[in-house]
Amino acid sequence: MNQSELRELLSTEGLRLLDSLPAWHSSDEIVRTVAELRKAGHSPGLVAAVLSQSKLRAKAAGKFGPFAERMLFTEAGLEQATRLSVAAQHAGRFSKAGVKWVADLGCGIGADALAIAALDLNVTAVERDETTAAIAAFNLAPWHNAQVVHGDAESADLAGIDGIYLDPARRDARVRLTNPADWTPSLDFAFGLAERYPTGIKLGPGIDRDLIPDNAEAQWVSVGREVVELGLWFGAVARPGIRRAALVIGDHGTAELTAAADSEDEAAGELGQYLYEPDGSVIRARLIGDLARQLNARMLDTSIAYFSADAAVATPFATCFEIVADFALDKRSLKKELASRKIGTLEIKKRGVDIDPATFRTSLSLKGENSATLILTRVGGKRRALLAQRTTFAETSAATA
């Protein structure tokens, strides 16, 4: 979004027009909608701006729920924004720690600042991109305890601030920056603030673990089985005795595994009736061994993040499959077996084998009315194909471990 588009959008006419549009469903009727708005006398620039925002609001509903209906976005800002359910977790840490005034450095469109302000904490949101800062100011306008500053995070005025939140920009012109020294602000700058203030730092979940300081609480977060971030927490916003955590947010609510360090792996053993696939946050946090022991399970292979048990136990930290059949990983044999079972819809999962699931599925020439899951992996060092069905439970426990 450029400055002229933003001015059009933030005009009284622009905001009224945007709020008057019906909910965006698809681009199928875009030509008719444009024609109607132009016929009503609206300028081409304004029409383009409001339709773009209408589309972004619809897209943002997954992250912000009903709040999206009264927010403004940029494409990049929405992509990088923290989901509201996760931002609420961040804000809760500052509230519980007794922090009164948070500086959100690199606030983007203001998602985390919004959640912080909603808990009646003061928040100063700093954003270096002028257009994005204006969008954040609009989104935070309903909160008297929030202010937006157009400026650089590393030169922000921190007088009176007693808590810091940072989301370093890790892209430049949409190119991913791999060197933490090139991030804005840099990781060294963020760690420097963490020595002086209760601090939270949002990072990508795949960051090099060697960069995680020993004094940080590292929490990997997944939403709907997708790992969305790594949060590093320091000082009063870190929890005593916890250095590794896996937070799972889903239909069950929230559930968390925590530990003082990476857990020791469980020994490998025989394939049982059930197979568990740990949530990605558990894998990233290296708490697979702790979870396996909770479920009285054993690893299929010491280098693969699958484990097996003789009983099915509901857990928010893993997906459970019942093993229907165990085959050697041989394409010809599998093709015959699947055909005999009339399996036409097949979900393929794989760990520890070099196979492209899409290509492999095509080669099986599936036909039939039945469905199943095929898990391609190693059991005791041997390549196996496990035919399975997802296990469903009446209720899934959301207990915190």
Side-chain angles (χ1 to χ4, degrees), residues 320-390:
C320 182
F321 299 88
E322 182 174 9
I323 303 302
V324 176
D326 174 12
F327 306 113
L329 209 173
D330 176 76
K331 185 162 50 180
R332 291 183 180 180
S333 299
L334 281 173
K335 188 174 180 178
K336 292 179 181 179
E337 286 288 349
L338 296 174
S340 68
R341 297 169 187 263
K342 298 181 180 180
I343 294 176
T345 302
L346 187 67
E347 174 190 30
I348 299 180
K349 290 182 166 291
K350 63 108 175 183
R351 288 191 188 278
V353 294
D354 186 16
I355 291 175
D356 176 62
T359 302
F360 193 79
R361 182 186 294 105
T362 301
S363 70
L364 295 174
S365 304
L366 301 169
K367 293 180 182 179
E369 66 275 13
N370 297 326
S371 61
T373 297
L374 186 65
I375 301 170
L376 309 178
T377 189
R378 295 198 310 269
V379 180
K382 297 180 179 179
R383 288 159 49 99
R384 307 298 296 175
L386 309 176
L387 192 64
Q389 294 286 349
R390 286 177 176 264

Side-chain angles (χ1 to χ4, degrees), residues 89-90 93-94 96-97 165 191 194 199-203 207 209 211-221 229-247 256-262 285 287 400-401:
Q89 298 289 325
H90 299 163
R93 285 188 181 252
F94 289 105
K96 291 175 183 177
Y165 186 75
F191 288 161
T199 297
I201 305 172
K202 176 183 173 180
L203 299 172
I207 188 176
R209 289 170 60 96
L211 294 174
I212 301 174
D214 292 338
N215 64 331
E217 176 191 333
Q219 181 190 58
W220 283 263
V221 181
E229 71 171 52
L230 163 63
L232 298 183
W233 301 94
F234 301 83
V237 288
R239 294 168 293 182
I242 295 177
R243 289 294 178 265
R244 298 290 181 264
L247 177 64
E256 190 175 33
L257 278 176
T258 62
D262 295 354
L287 298 179
T400 298

Side-chain angles (χ1 to χ4, degrees), residues 63-88:
K63 281 190 173 185
F64 294 94
F67 283 90
E69 298 174 4
R70 288 296 180 266
M71 296 176 68
L72 297 181
F73 305 94
T74 64
E75 190 78 45
L78 174 56
E79 179 183 343
Q80 297 163 18
T82 304
R83 290 160 175 78
L84 197 56
S85 59
V86 180

Side-chain angles (χ1 to χ4, degrees), residues 172-242:
D172 184 9
R174 302 187 70 83
V175 175
R176 187 176 298 277
L177 302 173
T178 57
N179 187 347
D182 296 331
W183 298 349
T184 308
S186 70
L187 196 55
D188 284 343
F189 173 80
F191 288 161
L193 289 178
E195 295 176 357
R196 300 158 47 202
Y197 300 93
T199 297
I201 305 172
K202 176 183 173 180
L203 299 172
I207 188 176
D208 182 352
R209 289 170 60 96
D210 290 339
L211 294 174
I212 301 174
D214 292 338
N215 64 331
E217 176 191 333
Q219 181 190 58
W220 283 263
V221 181
S222 75
V223 180
R225 298 299 179 190
E226 176 189 0
V227 187
V228 296
E229 71 171 52
L230 163 63
L232 298 183
W233 301 94
F234 301 83
V237 288
R239 294 168 293 182
I242 295 177

